[in-house]
Amino acid sequence: MASYLWRKYADYVYNKWERTFLWDMLEPYRRPKSFTPLVTIYVAAFYTGVIGAAITEQLYKEKYWEDHPGEAVPLMKPKFYGGPWKVLKGDVLPPNE
């Protein structure tokens, strides 16, 4: 029984090496892997950010209208950017509190 198992193991190891050698020769001719899953994740992340920004801005407007009914809502300050930025069309924002 032991010699049978050793023979099977030797066949397995040799065939494994042979398969590896053959696949390594064929590797340059294989089709490249698909970028579809990566692109799908990037698109989903982008639109998640867009929807999150829209919801944040809408909540900001509603809160401002509750405190100042009938007034125009000023531009919302950027949440994750503390550096200088200019407003091309619109009112300049008050300094950060």
Side-chain angles (χ1 to χ4, degrees), residues 2-83:
S3 62
Y4 170 78
L5 291 176
W6 278 113
R7 194 170 351 122
K8 287 306 248 178
Y9 177 72
D11 288 344
Y12 165 75
V13 169
Y14 180 78
N15 288 337
K16 182 178 172 187
W17 172 84
E18 197 174 41
R19 275 191 311 244
T20 304
F21 184 73
L22 288 173
W23 282 118
D24 288 346
M25 285 176 22
L26 293 175
E27 187 69 34
Y29 303 103
R30 271 200 182 153
R31 214 176 79 185
K33 290 185 179 179
S34 175
F35 283 107
T36 305
L38 184 65
V39 170
T40 304
I41 289 171
Y42 281 178
V43 168
F46 173 78
Y47 281 110
T48 301
V50 168
I51 291 169
I55 291 171
T56 302
E57 190 170 359
Q58 187 61 34
L59 291 173
Y60 166 77
K61 285 181 180 180
E62 289 175 5
K63 184 173 183 286
Y64 188 86
W65 282 330
E66 284 177 6
D67 299 339
H68 309 90
E71 292 183 21
V73 180
L75 291 175
M76 189 173 80
K77 293 183 189 127
K79 290 252 183 230
F80 302 110
Y81 178 69

Side-chain angles (χ1 to χ4, degrees), residues 82-95:
W85 63 291
K86 63 181 182 178
V87 179
L88 296 178
K89 294 182 181 177
D91 297 331
V92 177
L93 298 177

